[in-house]
Amino acid sequence: MEEKLSCIIVDDEPLAVKLLESFVAKTPDLQLIGSFTDSVEAINTVKEQRPNLLFLDIQMPDLNGMELAHMIPAETRIIFTTAFKEYAFESYEVRALDFLLKPIRYNKFIAAVEKAREWYLSRPSQRGGVSAGESSLFLKVDGEYRQISVADILYVAGMKDYVMFYLDSERRPLVTHLTMKAVEEMLPPQQFMRVHRSFIVCLDKIRKVDRNDCIYIGDEIIHVTEAYLGNFQQFLYSRTRK
């Protein structure tokens, strides 16, 4: 990606802000818009400037990081910075790309920035009236960027910090460094649905659904879990001939 990712730092600890500022300064992919030790003061700047990335502490007075995360523009991605690892699971529910545990090392910081860069590069290109079915995205696989057609995707499976894209045209899945939440937001919602914490499926490529709410797609049988069953049943009802 040739353009730099714009970023804002929000942390109530001045020393933590200074450390992140030094990390940003020596990272060519990043451009710092501003730094804040007061989360309330940061809100307007984040909304006005709409940075690509927000390096955000969680435990802060007045307005904590989780609360602020619900108030920022949708296009801004979050990398949480905190000393409390118990927030890790909750962080992925608010568009977080990564979770950096303090004390933050530069190699971990760089890995998070690379994940963000891959996320922005991987977003489907739908400019110029290109339909969702014709769109494509780039995946970083084994150090190279592979362009794939969204229409070629059967399903996506999550595996910790990696995801596996299963395609009609490939015998083996393409493995890339992304979160399931990020992939879910990349793919057209009219064509893809998350049916399990670890699975997103192409709705048009489902062969059948059995009485136990198991989806048969490709060579996989995927059970629709309770958290996603309501939406999936609505989809089935909409596609059922009355």
Side-chain angles (χ1 to χ4, degrees):
M1 185 174 181
E2 296 182 0
E3 294 184 4
K4 291 187 176 183
L5 295 176
S6 58
C7 64
I8 287 177
I9 298 167
V10 183
D11 195 310
D12 66 322
E13 299 176 12
L15 289 178
V17 170
K18 291 295 183 184
L19 178 65
L20 289 172
E21 285 177 340
S22 71
F23 285 173
V24 171
K26 61 182 180 181
T27 306
D29 287 346
L30 296 179
Q31 179 180 9
L32 184 63
I33 293 177
S35 302
F36 297 86
T37 54
D38 188 321
S39 56
V40 176
E41 291 181 1
I43 294 173
N44 287 337
T45 301
V46 173
K47 288 182 177 180
E48 290 172 4
Q49 297 294 328
R50 297 178 178 269
N52 299 123
L53 291 178
L54 181 62
F55 293 97
L56 180 61
D57 188 20
I58 294 180
Q59 283 208 335
M60 294 184 289
D62 298 325
L63 184 71
N64 68 42
M66 288 297 176
E67 293 168 333
L68 190 150
H70 288 285
M71 304 169 66
I72 67 171
E75 63 266 32
T76 296
R77 314 309 300 182
I78 298 167
I79 295 178
F80 278 116
T81 59
T82 181
F84 302 94
K85 63 182 179 181
E86 58 265 29
Y87 290 110
F89 179 77
E90 187 179 354
S91 71
Y92 290 108
E93 299 304 313
V94 287
R95 300 192 301 275
L97 281 179
D98 213 340
F99 182 92
L100 296 176
L101 195 61
K102 297 178 180 179
I104 301 169
R105 297 179 180 271
Y106 185 60
N107 65 320
K108 298 291 187 181
F109 177 88
I110 282 293
V113 172
E114 177 66 12
K115 185 185 294 186
R117 194 171 71 91
E118 291 172 14
W119 188 88
Y120 277 100
L121 186 62
S122 301
R123 288 182 300 173
S125 174
Q126 298 187 29
R127 300 183 182 90
V130 178
S131 69
E134 297 172 330
S135 64
S136 63
L137 53 82
F138 281 90
L139 301 177
K140 189 174 184 181
V141 181
D142 296 330
E144 300 178 341
Y145 286 98
R146 292 274 307 273
Q147 184 172 206
I148 66 168
S149 169
V150 171
D152 196 25
I153 301 171
L154 271 171
Y155 62 93
V156 182
M159 182 178 61
K160 292 187 178 180
D161 289 337
Y162 292 84
V163 294
M164 297 175 287
F165 281 76
Y166 288 82
L167 309 178
D168 276 328
S169 61
E170 300 273 348
R171 298 182 66 180
R172 294 183 178 181
L174 302 183
V175 181
T176 189
H177 191 50
L178 287 170
T179 66
M180 287 293 285
K181 185 69 174 176
V183 174
E184 187 177 12
E185 294 180 357
M186 286 177 198
L187 298 174
Q190 300 88 350
Q191 295 175 254
F192 294 87
M193 181 178 291
R194 193 166 184 177
V195 296
H196 185 284
R197 184 177 175 184
S198 300
F199 288 98
I200 297 170
V201 301
C202 177
L203 298 169
D204 289 339
K205 296 181 181 179
I206 296 173
R207 299 199 311 276
K208 72 173 182 177
V209 181
D210 68 21
R211 66 185 67 187
N212 296 313
D213 299 312
C214 290
I215 292 171
Y216 292 70
I217 186 169
D219 297 324
E220 188 70 61
I221 301 175
I222 301 168
H223 181 250
V224 184
T225 53
E226 186 174 352
Y228 304 95
L229 188 56
N231 285 341
F232 185 69
Q233 287 179 334
Q234 286 183 6
F235 158 73
L236 285 180
Y237 181 78
S238 70
R239 293 286 186 93
T240 301
R241 182 167 295 178
K242 308 300 188 293

